[in-house]
Amino acid sequence: MAAVLVRTEHITPTQTIMGADAYNKMFTLHGAMMVFLFIIPGIPAALGNFVLPLMVGAKDVAFPRLNLTSWYLWIIGAVFAVASLLVGGFDTGWTFYTPYSTTTPFKGVIPIATGAFILGFSSIFTGLNFIVTIHKLRAPGMGWFQMPLFLWALYATAIIQILATPVLGITLLLLIVERALGVGIFDPALGGDPILFQHFFWFYSHPAVYIMIVPAMGVISELISVFSRKHIFSYRFIAYSSIAIAVFGFLVWGHHMFTSGQSSLMNMIFSALTFSVAIPSAIKAFNWVATMYKGCISLKTPMLYALSFLFLFAIGGLTGLFLGSLTTNVHLHDTYFVVAHFHYVMFGGTVIAFLGGLHYWWPKMTGKMYSDRQGQIACFLIFIGFNLTFFTQFIMGTHGMPRRYFKYSEQFTTLHVLSTVGTYVLLVGFLLVAYYLIDSLVRGPKAPSNPWGGASLEWQTTSPPPVENFSQPPIVGDPYDYGDLVYDPEIRGYRKLIKTGAA
Amino acid sequence: MEAETTQSHTSSEHNPHLAHHFGSLTQQFDSGKLGMWLFLATEILLFGGLFCAYSVYRANHPEIFIYAHQYLSKFWGALNTCVLLFSSFTMAWGVRCAQLGRQRGLVVCLALTLLCGFVFLGVKYVEYKEKWQHGLLWGKYYSPVHHHDDSHEAASGEGPAPQEGHPAVASAVAQSMTPTVVLTTDAGVVVERSKILPAPTGPGGLASLSAGRESHGDEPRNVQLFFSVYFLMTGLHGVHVIVGLACIGWILRRAVRGDFGPGYFTPVDLVGLYWHLVDLIWIYLFPLLYLIH
Ligand code: HEM
Ligand SMILES: [Cu+2]
């Protein structure tokens, strides 16, 4: 919503529909809301909470009440975010850099920081719940290496959530008391050090980008294997690379601060570490492609999203490397190139994977099938719209269009208009998704237990699952072995091949 | 346990403390314990941010810490350390009592722990009040009363002006007129500034070189930083003590009701863990803030 307004403003080089203040508030709101309210909790909380207990073959997550608390906290956090608008908004950007954020006249900073603080707790509780569930509640017979890769991804994510989010918590807490009471820890006028804020912030926020992307990668691992009807290629490498990303992700935060005045030795170290974090991501991409190789690929809607993901994430990740090397960074920092980079990874990565996962598990969650045709069209629209919107921004970035400006010089007009048109295409795609998903609830045909032929445990129970998830204990096997699943047109889904024993 | 209609548990007799989605009490206990440890890890990281800020400022400006820590009372700090240590002891004993099913012992131990917690808060109150009266506050509100420095009347005009009609500042100023008020700390010791090395410029510490509050007398610049750190750290710790007390109060009530025994003592165990962490953090805070050389 806010995003569409921001882009519309950019149809003409000067003021179109709003002033500079409104623009500043708008992109800040968009950034903070998207990151803290949707992208971070999106896959773990929305899909993970449903799928995780099914995949481990448990009746529920380990702490259902904690889970509920985390949901309420999310709502409270959202309320604070809205409240921040009502009291006057805020224009600090989603990063809340001090000392600007402690001195800006807009009154919304404290509410939004409080909101983000509360959302942080929600995120921590989700992660805690996942770790304990995976450790303690796996079905009898399921070892660590019989788990679907989505669980490995959620596990890695949960580790990051638990280890990084508290640091964001204390940072925001300090920001709040600083603004409310004038503590001065980050305020140079009182002897404090504003750069410390940036370190704290990115110590959380770089790992946070992996909170966003690692579960997305997990979803993709499932989709690619199921829709290629082929065992995932080198299971262990994918599993370990999730953990590797979680660990390396903690060591690279300084790449957001190359231009902040930190020493060049530190810059060099952070740059080198940034490159190393790309290795596990590349391992995964390689394994996905290898899985598809000679597979029997069916282009159902979820698979289309998975393929879009591969394409977009490759671009996003590679441009991350441009930004991670020092010389190019100095040129590209705070330009549209950065904006395009993180949209390719956050939107092209996380949101696309979320949509893919949503389409994959939708029949399991709701017990209804949606129209695959409409799904494919929507996916196509979103793919085109997205590229139109953000690829143009790469070009503008390299030509020097700075981010967070509401006016721009004439030379960028064509590209800006194209980018805005892309946004509208994107919007249409989303409306279509919303339409047919809601429609499926009302009129969709009943979903079979196993519409796609998945071999992980969630497909062994009915769609939607009963209250305690499984009416009889699930049989644990290799989650990527599709050999004994056959399509049965009568139930319009897959079922286990019944061995006649006469062999 | 609303959903418990279809499934019959494998365990022979139905235990009211066993939630429906766990197979056995052991599994439930282990899960709870793992969850608590993870939670404690997040708590440590939460404080970790503050410890990190502490080390950055102390490394960059040791003179501030050496000068300002003298306004803290070692006596009260040491007393509180002992009180908390003792409370950890009673807590651990309480857990043991629960395991052995000694009902009375458990209640007594929990009550003692609760009492210690309140003593700690009481002492903290005394300390805070004293700081407040002398204007030794955080950041913007730092406006010390220099009792041993005659030129302070002129100096107090500098720096951030105290809030208009701030009752504490007003009373502190009023008290400073009367010679009977002397800081009850070791503040009389004059710091030999020559012994303190000049601060190196830290990463990104450039801004703080030229900015900040002026110094006067034997006082280094930016002393308010120490008090910001002091109030933040002890304040956050205090909040944790209060939460801990609420939890202990809750399990005390359940203990009186007779909920716990050798078969089920998870909450006592978990609250105990939490309380030990709160204690442990104080063990670090005390030397870091009070015992600086
Ligand atoms: C191959 C892996 C990646 C590398 C090497 C990388 C590198 C970088 C670098 C160097 C910057 C700083 C640019 C600047 O401000 O000058 C940056 C910014 C950013 N990256 Fe990445 N990145 C990677 C993956 C990701 C992923 C997976 C996400 C999220 C899902 C992400 C989200 C962001 C965001 C949000 C920013 C901008 C922050 C801001 O200034 O507001 N990145 N990235
Ligand atoms: Cu980063």
Side-chain angles (χ1 to χ4, degrees):
Chain A
M1 263 299 294
V4 174
L5 290 178
V6 169
R7 283 302 330 158
T8 304
E9 167 60 34
H10 276 158
I11 283 190
T12 63
T14 53
Q15 183 161 344
T16 314
I17 53 167
M18 53 181 141
D21 269 355
Y23 178 77
N24 288 350
K25 284 188 200 170
M26 221 27 126
F27 77 68
T28 303
L29 180 76
H30 161 72
M33 292 268 253
M34 283 318 242
V35 169
F36 293 116
L37 272 176
F38 297 109
I39 307 235
I40 289 181
I43 295 184
L47 294 177
N49 264 325
F50 173 80
V51 176
L52 179 130
L54 285 170
M55 275 190 164
V56 297
K59 291 179 197 156
D60 205 338
V61 289
F63 310 114
R65 263 186 292 175
L66 193 66
N67 208 356
L68 199 64
T69 316
S70 132
W71 164 237
Y72 286 139
L73 286 177
W74 187 87
I75 295 178
I76 298 173
V79 168
F80 268 99
V82 174
S84 73
L85 269 190
L86 299 183
V87 299
F90 53 104
D91 61 346
T92 56
W94 76 282
T95 49
F96 309 118
Y97 271 15
T98 54
Y100 185 66
S101 56
T102 48
T103 49
T104 171
F106 292 108
K107 295 215 165 47
V109 175
I110 292 183
I112 190 69
T114 316
F117 179 76
I118 293 171
L119 290 174
F121 266 95
S122 165
S123 177
I124 289 178
F125 287 156
T126 308
L128 203 154
N129 222 335
F130 284 3
I131 292 193
V132 176
T133 310
I134 292 177
H135 266 280
K136 300 290 177 193
L137 289 183
R138 270 172 291 136
M142 184 186 279
W144 283 88
F145 293 102
Q146 275 90 49
M147 291 196 320
L149 289 165
F150 184 50
L151 291 187
W152 276 96
L154 285 179
Y155 188 77
T157 312
I159 292 178
I160 315 177
Q161 283 177 309
I162 283 189
L163 295 185
T165 318
V167 178
L168 177 76
I170 192 70
T171 314
L172 291 171
L173 208 60
L174 286 173
L175 180 66
I176 294 167
V177 286
E178 172 126 13
R179 220 184 133 87
L181 301 172
V183 168
I185 289 283
F186 300 131
D187 184 356
L190 289 169
D193 188 344
I195 300 293
L196 189 64
F197 177 86
Q198 295 189 16
H199 278 293
F200 278 177
F201 185 82
W202 289 115
F203 182 80
Y204 165 74
S205 289
H206 187 86
V209 311
Y210 292 108
I211 298 181
M212 308 171 197
I213 200 69
V214 173
M217 292 167 157
V219 172
I220 299 303
S221 301
E222 300 299 315
L223 297 187
I224 298 249
S225 177
V226 169
F227 290 98
S228 305
R229 315 257 10 104
K230 204 162 146 255
H231 196 282
I232 190 93
F233 189 81
S234 76
Y235 173 97
R236 284 192 185 224
F237 263 98
I238 299 189
Y240 285 137
S241 67
S242 288
I243 306 293
I245 289 181
V247 174
F248 280 120
F250 277 103
L251 308 175
V252 302
W253 77 90
H255 67 215
H256 296 269
M257 300 169 58
F258 286 153
T259 53
S260 72
Q262 63 188 2
S263 72
S264 45
L265 176 67
M266 252 157 91
N267 275 350
M268 247 137 63
I269 295 173
F270 276 126
S271 179
L273 286 169
T274 300
F275 288 128
S276 71
V277 91
I279 297 173
S281 318
I283 291 180
K284 282 188 200 253
F286 173 77
N287 285 326
W288 291 326
V289 176
T291 305
M292 287 191 289
Y293 180 67
K294 286 193 177 165
C296 171
I297 297 173
S298 67
L299 290 179
K300 296 262 172 38
T301 312
M303 185 59 172
L304 281 184
Y305 279 111
L307 293 177
S308 314
F309 174 95
L310 272 185
F311 184 76
L312 300 177
F313 181 73
I315 296 182
L318 288 177
T319 51
L321 291 180
F322 291 12
L323 291 171
S325 54
L326 283 168
T327 34
T328 39
N329 180 278
V330 174
H331 177 62
L332 296 171
H333 177 69
D334 269 351
T335 66
Y336 262 46
F337 194 88
V338 176
V339 177
H341 154 67
F342 66 70
H343 278 93
Y344 263 81
V345 275
M346 295 207 289
F347 194 106
T350 312
V351 177
I352 294 286
F354 175 78
L355 286 172
L358 186 69
H359 284 86
Y360 180 59
W361 282 299
W362 182 262
K364 182 56 61 185
M365 291 181 184
T366 63
K368 294 292 165 83
M369 296 301 284
Y370 53 87
S371 149
D372 202 46
R373 175 95 312 200
Q374 286 169 358
Q376 286 165 332
I377 295 173
C379 176
F380 191 68
L381 282 177
I382 290 177
F383 184 77
I384 299 289
F386 174 79
N387 279 301
L388 206 54
T389 311
F390 292 107
F391 202 80
T392 46
Q393 299 189 359
F394 275 131
I395 304 174
M396 287 191 270
T398 47
H399 289 281
M401 169 78 202
R403 68 192 283 204
R404 296 181 176 167
Y405 278 57
F406 93 116
K407 292 182 179 174
Y408 52 87
S409 72
E410 298 285 341
Q411 76 188 88
F412 296 121
T413 310
T414 330
L415 289 171
H416 265 304
V417 171
L418 268 181
S419 175
T420 304
V421 170
T423 317
Y424 295 147
V425 178
L426 206 52
L427 186 67
V428 174
F430 271 110
L431 290 178
L432 184 57
V433 173
Y435 162 74
Y436 67 71
L437 284 185
I438 293 172
D439 186 59
S440 79
L441 289 182
V442 188
R443 279 185 303 191
K446 207 184 141 4
S449 295
N450 193 353
W452 319 116
S456 42
L457 299 189
E458 76 269 30
W459 304 110
Q460 290 187 16
T461 183
T462 52
S463 309
V467 177
E468 295 210 323
N469 282 349
F470 295 95
S471 33
Q472 65 241 49
I475 306 148
V476 179
D478 185 334
Y480 298 103
D481 181 8
Y482 306 109
D484 56 352
L485 289 166
V486 288
Y487 188 75
D488 179 350
E490 220 159 273
I491 55 168
R492 304 170 93 223
Y494 287 74
R495 60 174 174 72
K496 267 222 151 52
L497 193 67
I498 294 148
K499 301 223 170 58
T500 42
Chain B
M1 247 142 284
E2 311 77 47
E4 202 151 4
T5 43
T6 47
Q7 211 75 6
S8 67
H9 287 288
T10 37
S11 52
S12 47
E13 111 265 33
H14 176 75
N15 190 319
H17 294 302
L18 184 64
H20 75 103
H21 57 290
F22 286 112
S24 67
L25 271 177
T26 340
Q27 191 190 27
Q28 178 172 337
F29 178 73
D30 287 350
S31 304
K33 199 131 180 176
L34 178 61
M36 194 63 194
W37 277 109
L38 288 171
F39 178 69
L40 294 187
T42 70
E43 289 283 18
I44 290 176
L45 282 157
L46 187 76
F47 277 95
L50 286 178
F51 281 114
C52 189
Y54 174 94
S55 2
V56 169
Y57 289 123
R58 177 142 178 211
N60 285 348
H61 303 286
E63 76 282 0
I64 295 178
F65 285 76
I66 295 179
Y67 172 83
H69 93 280
Q70 308 186 73
Y71 289 103
L72 303 187
S73 155
K74 289 194 181 64
F75 169 72
W76 287 127
L79 178 68
N80 256 352
T81 311
C82 296
V83 168
L84 273 196
L85 273 177
F86 181 70
S87 79
S88 253
F89 170 69
T90 53
M91 188 75 226
W93 199 350
V95 174
R96 189 77 194 127
C97 286
Q99 283 170 345
L100 298 177
R102 293 210 201 109
Q103 175 68 12
R104 244 180 68 83
L106 172 63
V107 171
V108 171
C109 281
L110 287 180
L112 274 178
T113 317
L114 203 63
L115 186 72
C116 287
F118 279 114
V119 171
F120 178 88
L121 286 180
V123 171
K124 213 70 237 151
Y125 172 74
V126 173
E127 287 192 86
Y128 276 8
K129 196 169 150 213
E130 195 185 65
K131 303 277 165 321
W132 182 269
Q133 281 169 350
H134 293 288
L136 298 170
L137 296 177
W138 57 86
K140 176 161 100 181
Y141 295 104
Y142 177 73
S143 52
V145 182
H146 292 270
H147 60 95
H148 57 279
D149 180 0
D150 284 337
S151 66
H152 77 279
E153 302 297 351
S156 67
E158 296 173 11
Q163 292 280 87
E164 285 266 351
H166 201 298
V169 174
S171 76
V173 171
Q175 284 180 16
S176 76
M177 310 285 194
T178 57
T180 46
V181 181
V182 174
L183 284 183
T184 46
T185 60
D186 333 335
V189 183
V190 180
V191 194
E192 289 173 56
R193 294 211 65 205
S194 57
K195 279 190 187 163
I196 304 168
L197 297 171
T201 312
L206 294 169
S208 46
L209 275 187
S210 56
R213 233 179 140 272
E214 276 306 309
S215 62
H216 40 68
D218 56 352
E219 184 188 317
R221 307 158 62 96
N222 293 329
V223 172
Q224 73 280 3
L225 263 183
F226 177 83
F227 289 100
S228 295
V229 169
Y230 168 79
F231 277 104
L232 281 169
M233 289 181 120
T234 55
L236 190 63
H237 178 260
V239 171
H240 279 79
V241 171
I242 293 170
V243 172
L245 288 183
C247 295
I248 295 175
W250 168 66
I251 51 169
L252 179 59
R253 234 194 86 208
R254 290 187 65 181
V256 171
R257 211 164 50 187
D259 278 8
F260 304 121
Y264 176 70
F265 54 90
T266 319
V268 188
D269 209 37
L270 299 190
V271 171
L273 277 178
Y274 178 79
W275 189 251
H276 293 317
L277 179 87
V278 172
D279 186 16
L280 187 73
I281 289 176
W282 178 259
I283 306 261
Y284 279 93
L285 288 186
F286 174 58
L288 284 181
L289 292 170
Y290 290 74
L291 310 176
I292 296 175
H293 280 294

